[in-house]
Every structure is written in structure tokens, then in C-alpha cells.
Amino acid sequence: TSAPRIGRRRAPAEIGQLSEQLFSAICARPGEAMVVLAAEIGAPVRQLQRPMARLKASGRVRSVGQRHLARYFPLAERATKSA
């Protein structure tokens, strides 16, 4: 028999939903650590790594610091800037 698979591949929709929840948490609490954001969402930190990478790659979030000391901030959208 084959060994049971430990992890499962998440659907893009599931990652997208977590990304949106994470972005909302970052907007509500800018400058917080991933541990605090994960507790607010109710998901393990490990499960939020890919959604966070997606938010950073799309330019919606920036991080300050490294590893466990990182803090996350939402980026203002260009469309909301006054001309």
C-alpha cells in the first residue's frame, strides 16, 4: 500500500479566498506580525505563506523586517491618489 499523503494541493480559489481574508486583516491591523494576523483569520501561519506571497507579488502588501520579525502593511492603490 502507498503511504498517505501528508499535505494536499489547495485549489486556486481557496488560496484566493485566504488572500482576501489576509488582506482584510492587514488593512484592519497594519504593522502586525503574521502570528497575529493568522490568529485573527483562524488559520495556521504555515497555511498563509502562499496567500501572503501572492499579495506581495501583486503589490497590495509590503513587508518590513525579516522572518519572524516581519510586519505587514497594505499599500494604497494608485487609483485612490488625488491628482
Side-chain angles (χ1 to χ4, degrees), residues 24-76:
S24 295
I26 292 168
C27 289
R29 302 182 79 164
E32 283 294 351
M34 182 64 86
V35 175
V36 174
L37 299 170
E40 189 166 308
I41 292 172
V45 172
R46 177 98 172 116
Q47 197 175 33
L48 297 177
Q49 289 177 341
R50 190 167 303 270
M52 179 58 78
R54 179 185 265 193
L55 288 172
K56 287 166 65 174
S58 67
R60 296 175 68 190
V61 171
R62 72 179 176 97
S63 62
V64 176
Q66 295 179 356
R67 300 178 63 87
H68 69 282
L69 298 175
R71 301 292 185 253
Y72 299 93
F73 297 90
L75 291 177

Side-chain angles (χ1 to χ4, degrees), residues 19-30:
S19 294
E20 291 307 314
Q21 289 176 337
L22 185 56
F23 185 69
S24 295
I26 292 168
C27 289
R29 302 182 79 164

